[in-house]
Amino acid sequence: MKHQRLTRQSWIDAGLEALVASGPVALAAEPLARALGATKGSFYWHFKDVPEFQYALLKDWQSRALMQVADALAKDGNAEERLRDFGARILGDVQDPALRAWARTSTEVAEAVTQVDAERLRYITSLLQHLGVKNPGFALCCLGALAGLPQVGESSDPAAAYETLVDLVLALK
């Protein structure tokens, strides 16, 4: 029986799944190899060592997160709908909270998350300005909600809470 050859991206994707499921402690060659039914040799074929793998995983997430902002900027349409859609996309990303948790123990991860947040904040600020909301604190509240709501607990509904926040911000303009 032939096994499918794993790519560098296969390892990164498996690492992101493991990060979501078990945190950064799962980002090691042996448990990932076991989960993929592969050998550690396959891991080391694609990555010099675990830190290089973790860096590649981080850059993969950061690249996709920044692309999400670029894609949102390229869209036309109603600023309110775009604000709501942008929030829903972030809240729907299970990797985002996992990266934020990892950032509490890694300066490198914290820097990447900060860069992503800066771009997200610029975009949210721009949308709110289009809607006549000039106070930059409202944009920061929206970003804070997107970062924090997934951490509140399983019984909460982060998407509904974000929608309520947007309603409130727009009512106060």
Side-chain angles (χ1 to χ4, degrees):
M1 181 171 175
K2 266 190 161 177
H3 289 345
Q4 182 178 355
R5 184 171 290 225
L6 295 174
T7 65
R8 183 176 174 90
Q9 190 62 48
S10 302
W11 284 100
I12 290 170
D13 292 344
L16 286 165
E17 287 178 24
L19 178 65
V20 169
S22 304
V25 70
L27 299 179
E30 191 164 331
L32 287 171
R34 217 176 309 113
L36 288 169
T39 65
K40 287 192 308 185
S42 173
F43 177 90
Y44 289 110
W45 174 260
H46 296 289
F47 304 98
K48 177 180 76 172
D49 54 23
V50 171
E52 180 186 289
F53 165 71
Q54 291 176 345
Y55 180 79
L57 181 145
L58 176 61
K59 289 304 170 184
D60 181 82
W61 172 82
Q62 184 181 31
S63 174
R64 283 182 295 102
L66 292 172
M67 184 58 68
Q68 184 181 48
V69 176
D71 289 347
L73 280 165
K75 287 184 181 176
D76 291 326
N78 176 294
E80 180 181 340
E81 290 172 9
R82 291 169 62 196
L83 179 63
R84 292 178 190 279
D85 181 60
F86 187 66
R89 288 181 187 275
I90 292 171
L91 290 171
D93 179 6
V94 297
Q95 294 172 0
D96 200 77
L99 266 290
R100 289 181 185 286
W102 187 16
R104 289 193 296 267
T105 61
S106 168
T107 304
E108 189 172 44
V109 177
E111 289 171 5
V113 170
T114 298
Q115 290 172 0
V116 168
D117 282 347
E119 292 304 312
R120 288 173 173 174
L121 183 59
R122 274 193 269 289
Y123 179 63
I124 292 168
T125 300
S126 169
L127 290 174
L128 289 174
Q129 287 176 345
H130 281 12
L131 292 165
V133 178
K134 305 294 184 211
N135 184 333
F138 285 127
L140 189 56
C141 288
C142 288
L143 180 62
L146 293 172
L149 283 169
Q151 316 283 329
V152 172
E154 292 181 20
S155 62
S156 69
D157 183 354
Y162 180 74
E163 289 287 326
T164 301
L165 177 63
V166 171
D167 291 342
L168 175 64
V169 167
L170 296 178
L172 293 174
K173 70 176 179 173

